[in-house]
Amino acid sequence: MAKDIPVYVFTGFMDSGKTTLIQETLFENDFTQGGDDKILIIACEDGDVEYDIEKLKTVNAKVTMIENEEDFNLENLNKLQKEYDPDVIFLEYNGTWGVDHIYDEPLPEGWVPAQSLATVDATTFENYLNNMRTMMMEQLFKAEVVIFNRCTDDTPKTKFRGQIKSMNRPAQIVYERADGSIDDSPEELPFDINADVIEITDADYALWFMDCMETPKKYDGKKVHFTGLVYNPNDGKLRRDVFVPGRFAMTCCVEDIQFLGMKCKWDKASSLEHRSWIDITAQIKVEFAKEYKGKGPVLYPITVEPTEKPEDELVYFS
């Protein structure tokens, strides 16, 4: 039986910091401390930062290249396994290749994806997202950790978090400044969370929804007011005392539109017409809900009034 060989996957566009992150992991984060594992780095692109081959020898690490996407196949990976016999693999993946080669196609026996990390240059993220969204999503949608580097005081962290969470809800997000230090300063929200009633405008709805779903405890007991579209189909999917107010949100293009709705308990829920518009003020309670497969925010209406359809039915992560 083959031994398990952990594969650490590093995705992201060229010059987003993958090589730097791999070397920091090996040299500064005590990854190799006290061990004699043979480490193989498979580099699939040649960026501005080069590997320090001599220094890598001190941690029993070697580098090999796969330059063409068609060469990233089981036959060639098996050849690398036989040649290097690694105990650990660091895969620096090419930012223009489809990640199906890693997750959907066979890998050599024993190779087990252990962790997926994506690096993002904060200074170019929005430009890439707007102009090469499909390629960007390829790099991010499976990442367990997304690292925004080259952050400054002006980096819109809350906005970036909302955009990442819209495509990869479980991802952990880290912000790193240009000097390599972690930016753990509080993210500024565009609404007052300490107000008697938190006013959520159309412009802020998507960010509020993602923040509330990710960190519901800080909203427990709070009151919130927003304009919502009613999801209440007469098909038996919801109990008579439950409906879902929400908004359709778009990250940057029509293909990624999704409904962001929150469970709402109300004894008059059955009176609400499906796809009608309401002005709702409600208290948020964090409790178990089967729809969330655990605890999450549930709305308890204080007032529910019919209202006009907004001029723009969509909300945005902006």
Side-chain angles (χ1 to χ4, degrees), residues 217-247:
K217 286 185 178 180
K218 72 183 182 185
Y219 291 94
D220 194 17
K222 301 280 187 179
K223 296 176 183 176
V224 64
H225 171 245
F226 62 92
T227 296
L229 178 66
V230 172
Y231 175 81
N232 193 23
N234 186 24
D235 57 7
K237 290 183 178 180
L238 298 177
R239 290 172 22 187
R240 288 182 59 83
D241 63 344
V242 171
F243 73 100
V244 181
R247 297 295 294 268

Coordinates of all heavy atoms in Angstrom, one line a residue, residues 217-247:
K217 N -22.9 35.9 15.4 CA -23.0 36.2 16.8 C -23.0 37.7 17.1 O -23.7 38.2 18.1 CB -21.9 35.5 17.6 CG -22.0 34.0 17.8 CD -20.9 33.4 18.6 CE -21.1 31.9 18.8 NZ -20.1 31.3 19.7
K218 N -22.3 38.5 16.3 CA -22.3 39.9 16.6 C -23.6 40.6 16.2 O -23.8 41.8 16.6 CB -21.1 40.6 15.9 CG -21.1 40.7 14.4 CD -19.8 41.3 13.9 CE -19.8 41.5 12.4 NZ -18.5 42.0 11.9
Y219 N -24.4 39.9 15.5 CA -25.8 40.5 15.2 C -26.9 39.9 16.1 O -28.0 40.3 15.9 CB -26.1 40.2 13.7 CG -25.2 40.9 12.8 CD1 -24.1 40.4 12.2 CD2 -25.5 42.2 12.4 CE1 -23.3 41.0 11.3 CE2 -24.7 42.9 11.5 CZ -23.6 42.3 11.0 OH -22.8 43.0 10.1
D220 N -26.5 39.0 17.0 CA -27.6 38.3 17.8 C -28.3 39.4 18.6 O -27.7 40.1 19.4 CB -26.9 37.3 18.7 CG -27.9 36.3 19.3 OD1 -29.1 36.3 18.8 OD2 -27.6 35.7 20.3
G221 N -29.6 39.5 18.5 CA -30.4 40.4 19.3 C -30.5 41.8 18.6 O -31.3 42.6 19.1
K222 N -29.8 42.0 17.5 CA -29.8 43.3 16.9 C -31.1 43.4 16.0 O -31.7 42.4 15.6 CB -28.6 43.5 16.0 CG -27.2 43.4 16.7 CD -26.9 44.7 17.4 CE -25.5 44.6 17.9 NZ -25.1 45.9 18.6
K223 N -31.5 44.7 15.7 CA -32.6 44.9 14.9 C -32.1 45.5 13.5 O -31.1 46.3 13.5 CB -33.6 45.9 15.5 CG -34.2 45.4 16.8 CD -35.1 46.5 17.5 CE -35.7 46.0 18.8 NZ -36.5 47.0 19.5
V224 N -32.7 45.1 12.5 CA -32.3 45.5 11.1 C -33.4 45.9 10.3 O -34.6 45.4 10.5 CB -31.5 44.3 10.5 CG1 -32.4 43.1 10.3 CG2 -30.8 44.7 9.2
H225 N -33.2 46.8 9.3 CA -34.2 47.3 8.4 C -33.7 47.3 7.0 O -32.6 47.8 6.7 CB -34.7 48.7 8.9 CG -35.6 49.4 7.9 ND1 -35.2 50.5 7.2 CD2 -36.8 49.0 7.5 CE1 -36.2 50.8 6.4 NE2 -37.2 50.0 6.6
F226 N -34.5 46.7 6.1 CA -34.1 46.7 4.7 C -35.3 46.4 3.8 O -36.3 46.1 4.3 CB -33.0 45.6 4.4 CG -33.4 44.2 4.7 CD1 -33.9 43.4 3.7 CD2 -33.3 43.7 6.0 CE1 -34.3 42.1 3.9 CE2 -33.7 42.3 6.2 CZ -34.2 41.6 5.2
T227 N -35.1 46.6 2.5 CA -36.1 46.3 1.5 C -35.7 44.9 0.9 O -34.6 44.7 0.5 CB -36.1 47.4 0.4 OG1 -36.4 48.6 0.9 CG2 -37.0 47.0 -0.7
G228 N -36.7 44.1 0.9 CA -36.5 42.7 0.5 C -37.5 42.2 -0.5 O -38.6 42.6 -0.6
L229 N -37.0 41.2 -1.3 CA -37.9 40.4 -2.2 C -38.3 39.2 -1.5 O -37.5 38.5 -0.9 CB -37.1 40.1 -3.5 CG -37.9 39.3 -4.6 CD1 -39.0 40.1 -5.1 CD2 -36.9 38.9 -5.7
V230 N -39.6 38.8 -1.5 CA -40.1 37.7 -0.8 C -39.9 36.4 -1.6 O -40.4 36.3 -2.7 CB -41.6 37.9 -0.4 CG1 -42.2 36.6 0.1 CG2 -41.7 39.1 0.5
Y231 N -39.3 35.4 -1.0 CA -39.3 34.1 -1.5 C -40.3 33.3 -0.6 O -40.1 33.0 0.5 CB -37.9 33.4 -1.4 CG -37.9 32.0 -1.8 CD1 -37.8 31.6 -3.2 CD2 -37.9 31.0 -0.9 CE1 -37.8 30.3 -3.6 CE2 -37.9 29.6 -1.2 CZ -37.9 29.3 -2.6 OH -37.9 28.0 -3.0
N232 N -41.4 32.9 -1.2 CA -42.5 32.2 -0.5 C -43.3 31.4 -1.5 O -44.5 31.6 -1.6 CB -43.3 33.2 0.3 CG -44.2 32.6 1.3 OD1 -43.9 31.5 1.8 ND2 -45.3 33.2 1.6
P233 N -42.7 30.4 -2.1 CA -43.4 29.6 -3.1 C -44.5 28.7 -2.5 O -44.3 28.2 -1.4 CB -42.3 28.8 -3.8 CG -41.3 28.6 -2.7 CD -41.3 29.9 -2.0
N234 N -45.6 28.6 -3.2 CA -46.7 27.7 -2.7 C -46.5 26.3 -3.2 O -47.3 25.7 -3.9 CB -48.0 28.3 -3.2 CG -49.2 27.5 -2.6 OD1 -49.0 26.9 -1.5 ND2 -50.3 27.5 -3.3
D235 N -45.3 25.7 -2.7 CA -45.0 24.4 -3.2 C -44.6 23.4 -2.0 O -44.1 22.3 -2.2 CB -43.8 24.4 -4.2 CG -42.6 25.1 -3.6 OD1 -42.6 25.4 -2.4 OD2 -41.6 25.3 -4.3
G236 N -44.9 23.9 -0.8 CA -44.7 23.1 0.4 C -43.2 23.0 0.8 O -42.9 22.3 1.8
K237 N -42.3 23.8 0.2 CA -40.9 23.8 0.6 C -40.7 24.5 1.9 O -39.8 24.2 2.7 CB -40.1 24.4 -0.5 CG -39.9 23.5 -1.7 CD -39.0 24.2 -2.7 CE -38.8 23.3 -4.0 NZ -37.9 23.9 -5.0
L238 N -41.6 25.5 2.2 CA -41.5 26.2 3.5 C -42.7 26.0 4.3 O -43.8 25.8 3.8 CB -41.3 27.7 3.2 CG -40.1 28.2 2.3 CD1 -40.2 29.7 2.1 CD2 -38.8 27.8 3.1
R239 N -42.5 26.0 5.6 CA -43.6 26.0 6.6 C -44.4 27.2 6.4 O -44.0 28.3 5.9 CB -43.1 25.9 8.0 CG -42.4 24.5 8.3 CD -41.8 24.5 9.6 NE -42.2 25.5 10.6 CZ -41.6 25.7 11.8 NH1 -40.6 25.0 12.1 NH2 -42.1 26.6 12.6
R240 N -45.7 27.2 6.9 CA -46.6 28.3 6.8 C -46.2 29.5 7.6 O -46.6 30.6 7.3 CB -48.0 27.9 7.2 CG -48.7 26.9 6.2 CD -50.1 26.6 6.7 NE -50.9 27.8 6.8 CZ -51.6 28.4 5.8 NH1 -51.5 27.9 4.6 NH2 -52.3 29.4 6.0
D241 N -45.3 29.3 8.6 CA -44.8 30.4 9.4 C -43.4 30.9 9.0 O -42.7 31.5 9.8 CB -44.9 30.1 10.9 CG -44.0 28.9 11.3 OD1 -43.6 28.2 10.4 OD2 -43.7 28.8 12.5
V242 N -43.0 30.5 7.8 CA -41.6 30.8 7.4 C -41.6 31.4 6.0 O -42.4 30.9 5.1 CB -40.7 29.6 7.4 CG1 -39.3 29.9 6.8 CG2 -40.5 29.1 8.9
F243 N -40.9 32.5 5.8 CA -40.6 32.9 4.4 C -39.2 33.4 4.4 O -38.5 33.5 5.4 CB -41.6 34.0 4.0 CG -41.4 35.4 4.6 CD1 -40.7 36.4 4.0 CD2 -41.9 35.6 5.9 CE1 -40.5 37.6 4.6 CE2 -41.7 36.9 6.5 CZ -41.0 37.9 5.8
V244 N -38.7 33.8 3.2 CA -37.3 34.2 3.1 C -37.2 35.5 2.3 O -37.5 35.6 1.1 CB -36.5 33.1 2.3 CG1 -35.0 33.6 2.2 CG2 -36.5 31.8 3.0
P245 N -36.9 36.6 3.0 CA -36.7 37.9 2.4 C -35.2 38.0 2.0 O -34.4 37.5 2.7 CB -37.0 38.9 3.5 CG -36.7 38.2 4.7 CD -36.9 36.7 4.5
G246 N -35.0 38.6 0.8 CA -33.6 38.7 0.4 C -33.5 39.6 -0.9 O -34.4 40.3 -1.2
R247 N -32.3 39.5 -1.5 CA -32.1 40.2 -2.8 C -31.3 39.4 -3.7 O -30.4 38.6 -3.3 CB -31.4 41.6 -2.4 CG -32.1 42.5 -1.6 CD -33.4 43.0 -2.3 NE -33.1 43.8 -3.4 CZ -33.0 45.2 -3.4 NH1 -33.1 45.8 -2.2 NH2 -32.8 45.9 -4.5

